């Protein structure tokens, strides 16, 4: 299946089955803003709970908070967002479309990388077992040429970013002959900076009103509360504070569905450490976070680290965890060693002492911070890509199913009476009435049993039970597994226990803790 096809299918699947809707669709939509439907919200809540529990339950030294979206505007001055939270934008004069200059260049690098990979794939097929990839990379002329084009561009791009040289970014776009995907022309404007923060007014009258920002990240709410939490929670370094909440960015290029939104949700954890130990903690969190993603079961090959070419003004190490979406490997989570930048800035701008007293070292200092920052919506997109499966059945039909880890699936069990008479619906209702206290259940008695299975597959329900005439006598039901489609007969009395074990988030957390 062509890659774009997968993406298109996924987007329409999300709409058709109540995962994601375009916001304000009734009024023709609002660009880069989305709503989660009845299935999407369950998936989202389950993923958030998995993240929250793996941070706050599994780590004695991590606690959570929930800070507000509005904060004192000076916080954003201190953090650097008022002056430096900019993206370089460029317009195509013919299509009037606006792009991020860095994204245009990164896409070009990905094209060179793709060419290298395609050559390698072809050769691997041709040579079979005898293929030596390393040798091929270092001797095949075409591969070496593409690789050099990639590496030269990479270096030039990194230098331009580090020097903040907007003219050079434009020159790269011109020299690489990058064309606008809409007009196909290379008629570009200058590159300009664009601040991504949304502003609004707080207060009753316009004279007395104060300009406030919708937070572009949840992290600052943690920094300005760190001492409150440390003191009231009697936390000792190293310790972490986790938070889940909305963030807002006026993105220049808002495309790719829920990958880049103007209103989105973040799950961030700031880990406070002794100065000098931050890079060890950075490595630890980098490994732990990848392990967490892998625990979702979508395969090691679909993830990779991407170290930053240009470190943000606050960081001394940074990496992204990327997932293999159909439009390339893309960032899902960032892990940043933020030094003492944020806390020192807040100390400076507030004029208050926010140092930590270390009872072991018997001295006060500003802690260093390692952050893990993941976008809930991007996580959902990676999970949807990983879970979406099409499978040809013996009868020639194709079934689409979402292979979510059972604990994450929106609905855990569907209860299906074979026919709508003879007391079967009543028995099914009784089962739902008991099971609904344990996990999310759905009752469905419309259409043939095959159609009902397809509907449950499409929303990723891991288990279905059918109630037939024999159930009335032997008090057993048929349990069907979403992935294998295997069926087994089990007593109704044991249904709750059997399904609870299979869909348990606790088991998933235990596995993660052990791995
Ligand atoms: P990008 O380079 O893609 O703009 P970023 O590096 O600016 O992302 P961070 O500031 O590190 O992103 O934010 C942490 C996480 O928040 C990202 O890894 C991503 O999952 C999520 N995120 C950031 N911007 C958006 C957005 N516009 N829509 C959805 N999620 C986002």
């Amino acid at each position: 299946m062509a890659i774009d096809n997968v993406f298109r299918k996924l987007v329409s699947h999300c709409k058709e089955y109540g995962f994601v809707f375009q916001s304000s669709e009734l009024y023709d939509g609002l660009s880069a803003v989305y709503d989660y439907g009845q299935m999407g919200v369950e998936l989202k809540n389950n993923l958030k709970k998995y993240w929250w529990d793996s941070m706050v339950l599994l780590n004695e030294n991590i606690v959570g908070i929930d800070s507000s979206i509005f904060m004192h505007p000076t916080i954003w001055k201190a953090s650097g967002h008022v002056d430096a939270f900019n993206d370089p934008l460029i317009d195509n004069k013919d299509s009037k479309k606006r792009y991020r200059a860095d994204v245009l260049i990164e896409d070009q690098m990905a094209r060179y990388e793709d060419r290298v990979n395609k050559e390698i794939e072809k050769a691997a097929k041709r040579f079979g077992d005898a293929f030596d990839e390393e040798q091929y990379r270092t001797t095949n002329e075409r591969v070496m040429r593409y690789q050099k084009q990639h590496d030269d561009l990479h270096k030039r791009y990194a230098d331009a970013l580090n020097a903040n040289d907007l003219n050079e970014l434009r020159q790269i776009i011109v020299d690489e002959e990058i064309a606008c995907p809409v007009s196909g022309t290379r008629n570009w404007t200058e590159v300009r900076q664009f601040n991504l923060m949304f502003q609004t007014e707080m207060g009753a009258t316009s004279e007395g009103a104060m300009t406030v920002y919708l937070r572009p990240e949840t992290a600052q709410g943690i920094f300005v509360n760190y001492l409150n939490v440390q003191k009231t929670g009697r936390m000792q370094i190293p310790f972490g504070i986790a938070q889940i909440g909305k963030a807002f960015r006026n993105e220049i290029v808002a495309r790719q569905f829920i990958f880049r939104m103007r209103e989105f949700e973040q799950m961030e954890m700031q880990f406070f450490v002794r100065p000098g130990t931050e890079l060890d903690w950075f490595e630890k969190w980098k490994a732990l976070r990848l392990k967490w993603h892998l625990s979702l079961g979508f395969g090691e090959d679909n993830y990779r680290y991407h170290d930053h070419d240009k470190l943000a003004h606050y960081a001394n190490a940074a990496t992204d965890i990327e997932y293999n979406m159909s439009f390339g490997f893309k960032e899902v989570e960032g892990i940043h060693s933020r030094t003492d930048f944020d806390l020192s800035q807040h100390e400076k701008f507030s004029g208050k002492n926010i140092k930590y007293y270390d009872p072991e070292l018997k001295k006060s200092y500003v802690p260093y911070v390692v952050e893990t920052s993941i976008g809930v919506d991007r996580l959902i997109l990676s999970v949807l890509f990983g879970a979406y499966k099409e499978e040809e059945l013996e009868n020639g039909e194709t079934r689409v199913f979402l292979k979510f880890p059972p604990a994450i699936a929106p609905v855990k069990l569907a209860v299906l009476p074979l026919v709508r008479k003879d007391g079967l619906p009543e028995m099914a209702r009784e089962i739902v009435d008991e099971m609904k206290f344990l996990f999310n259940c759905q009752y469905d008695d419309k259409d043939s049993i095959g159609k009902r299975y397809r509907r449950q597959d499409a929303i990723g329900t891991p288990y279905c039970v059918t109630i037939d005439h024999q159930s009335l006598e032997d008090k057993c039901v048929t349990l069907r597994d979403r992935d294998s489609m295997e069926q087994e007969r089990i007593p109704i009395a044991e249904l709750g226990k059997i399904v609870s074990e299979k869909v348990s988030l606790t088991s998933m957390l235990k596995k993660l803790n052990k791995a």
Side-chain angles (χ1 to χ4, degrees):
M1 203 184 329
I3 279 169
D4 276 359
N5 244 345
V6 181
F7 187 51
R8 229 175 296 126
K9 280 188 186 182
L10 197 66
V11 174
S12 65
H13 191 90
C14 280
K15 181 169 180 204
E16 191 178 345
Y17 289 95
F19 283 90
V20 181
F21 305 127
Q22 172 72 61
S23 160
S24 320
E25 197 185 351
L26 202 55
Y27 292 87
D28 299 329
L30 186 64
S31 166
V33 188
Y34 290 90
D35 298 337
Y36 287 88
Q38 68 281 12
M39 289 302 138
V41 68
E42 296 291 341
L43 176 66
K44 195 180 195 196
N45 285 343
N46 293 340
L47 282 166
K48 287 200 284 189
K49 182 152 174 54
Y50 183 42
W51 181 87
W52 185 267
D53 287 357
S54 63
M55 285 292 175
V56 175
L57 292 192
L58 300 192
N59 297 285
E60 228 176 277
N61 58 350
I62 298 181
V63 293
I65 62 163
D66 182 19
S67 71
S68 47
I69 288 171
F70 289 137
M71 296 199 281
H72 196 288
T74 311
I75 287 174
W76 303 111
K77 193 84 189 136
S79 68
H81 284 82
V82 172
D83 298 319
F85 191 52
N86 298 315
D87 274 345
L89 70 89
I90 189 166
D91 292 1
N92 181 271
K93 291 185 197 161
D94 299 317
S95 66
K96 311 271 184 268
K97 287 276 171 207
R98 182 160 286 177
Y99 298 92
R100 261 173 65 174
D102 55 336
V103 171
L104 286 179
I105 298 171
E106 281 175 17
D107 285 351
Q108 178 76 351
M109 289 196 302
R111 276 194 278 277
Y112 289 134
E113 221 178 325
D114 265 2
R115 284 182 201 161
V116 170
N117 291 338
K118 280 210 182 99
E119 291 294 328
I120 304 257
E121 259 172 46
K122 264 199 289 181
K125 257 195 211 145
R126 200 162 5 115
F127 294 114
D129 286 345
F131 182 60
D132 180 343
E133 183 178 327
E134 196 49 45
Q135 193 189 354
Y136 198 73
R137 276 185 186 274
T138 45
T139 52
N140 180 278
E141 262 178 36
R142 209 170 310 149
V143 169
M144 282 161 55
R145 190 170 70 242
Y146 293 147
Q147 190 62 50
K148 183 166 175 350
Q149 281 174 315
H150 172 273
D151 295 347
D152 289 350
L153 175 57
H154 188 184
K155 177 161 187 329
R156 198 174 160 197
Y157 169 60
D159 289 347
L161 283 183
N162 283 318
N164 228 346
D165 188 342
L166 301 183
N167 290 334
E168 172 67 353
L169 284 180
R170 179 176 190 279
Q171 200 52 47
I172 294 176
I173 291 171
V174 172
D175 292 350
E176 288 288 329
E177 301 184 345
I178 297 173
C180 165
V182 177
S183 66
T185 69
R186 304 189 178 99
N187 197 5
W188 296 108
T189 61
E190 296 304 301
V191 174
R192 279 162 298 142
Q193 296 280 18
F194 176 80
N195 193 288
L196 300 179
M197 278 200 296
F198 284 100
Q199 289 182 13
T200 187
E201 302 277 297
M202 186 181 251
T205 63
S206 58
E207 302 103 69
M210 171 196 284
T211 299
V212 290
Y213 301 97
L214 296 189
R215 65 181 177 197
E217 62 175 26
T218 60
Q220 297 304 325
I222 297 180
F223 293 133
V224 297
N225 274 303
Y226 110 93
L227 211 54
N228 286 336
V229 173
Q230 188 271 318
K231 289 201 163 132
T232 55
R234 293 179 296 124
M235 312 296 289
Q236 288 200 3
I237 268 177
F239 71 92
I241 304 178
Q243 165 156 245
I244 300 179
K246 288 271 181 150
F248 305 83
R249 295 182 188 180
N250 197 2
E251 297 281 359
I252 303 165
V253 187
R255 280 181 307 189
Q256 289 157 338
F257 195 39
I258 53 171
F259 180 78
R260 191 173 296 290
M261 300 154 88
R262 296 201 164 107
E263 173 179 341
F264 58 101
E265 204 160 352
Q266 288 186 316
M267 306 194 281
E268 297 198 298
M269 193 279 297
Q270 310 294 326
F271 201 69
F272 300 87
V273 304
R274 271 186 196 156
T277 63
E278 73 276 9
L279 292 178
D280 289 340
W281 283 109
F282 172 75
E283 291 303 328
K284 267 187 203 148
W285 278 110
K286 200 172 140 176
L288 281 171
R289 292 307 303 149
L290 183 59
K291 196 171 91 174
W292 187 89
H293 285 275
L294 293 176
S295 74
L296 296 168
F298 300 124
E300 227 169 297
D301 290 351
N302 281 321
Y303 297 89
R304 73 176 187 194
Y305 290 121
H306 172 247
D307 294 328
H308 285 203
D309 286 323
K310 184 194 177 193
L311 292 174
H313 56 279
Y314 51 74
N316 67 357
T319 199
D320 297 333
I321 294 177
E322 297 184 333
Y323 186 80
N324 187 10
M325 316 260 184
S326 70
F327 44 91
F329 273 92
K330 296 286 172 193
E331 170 180 350
V332 174
E333 171 155 8
I335 295 118
H336 310 125
S337 171
R338 290 181 80 129
T339 68
D340 60 350
F341 176 81
D342 300 271
L343 292 180
S344 297
Q345 285 290 98
H346 290 309
E347 194 164 53
K348 193 163 116 198
F349 277 74
S350 69
K352 312 236 167 73
N353 175 4
I354 54 171
K355 290 190 179 56
Y356 165 79
Y357 177 73
D358 191 325
E360 271 178 36
L361 297 183
K362 296 194 175 40
K363 66 173 195 182
S364 298
Y365 54 81
V366 175
Y368 272 48
V369 176
V370 174
E371 143 183 286
T372 72
S373 171
I374 175 167
V376 181
D377 313 273
R378 286 194 192 175
L379 172 66
I380 290 177
L381 192 58
S382 71
V383 165
L384 286 166
F385 270 120
Y388 187 88
K389 304 275 175 241
E390 285 183 8
E391 192 177 79
E392 186 132 352
L393 299 173
E394 275 170 14
N395 63 6
E397 282 176 21
T398 306
R399 75 163 179 141
V400 172
F401 67 111
L402 297 179
K403 202 174 171 184
F404 295 132
I408 301 302
V411 177
K412 313 293 192 221
L413 179 74
V415 182
L416 317 172
L418 204 57
V419 289
R420 279 157 102 174
K421 55 182 185 187
D422 305 335
L424 300 189
E426 289 75 8
M427 191 172 196
R429 288 270 180 217
E430 260 177 46
I431 293 178
V432 171
D433 274 346
E434 265 192 47
M435 298 301 136
K436 71 184 179 192
F437 296 103
L438 303 175
F439 37 72
N440 200 352
C441 293
Q442 224 178 48
Y443 171 90
D444 189 4
D445 63 9
K446 289 185 196 72
D447 302 317
S448 70
I449 198 75
K451 272 197 184 154
R452 282 182 267 167
Y453 281 153
R454 289 300 92 77
R455 275 204 290 271
Q456 294 301 329
D457 284 346
I459 58 169
T461 306
Y463 300 100
C464 294
V465 285
T466 40
I467 287 88
D468 51 30
H469 288 95
Q470 210 189 323
S471 307
L472 297 171
E473 283 156 31
D474 66 4
K475 306 282 179 254
C476 285
V477 286
T478 306
L479 184 71
R480 176 219 190 231
D481 180 286
R482 173 196 65 202
D483 304 339
S484 65
M485 293 192 289
E486 272 167 19
Q487 306 197 355
E488 58 174 323
R489 198 85 183 151
I490 57 163
I492 295 171
E494 285 174 33
L495 180 64
K497 186 168 164 278
I498 292 174
V499 177
S500 291
E501 270 168 22
K502 290 177 190 279
V503 304
S504 144
L505 188 67
T506 311
S507 311
M508 208 168 155
L509 285 163
K510 278 189 181 161
K511 233 164 129 187
L512 176 72
N513 205 36
K514 248 198 256 149

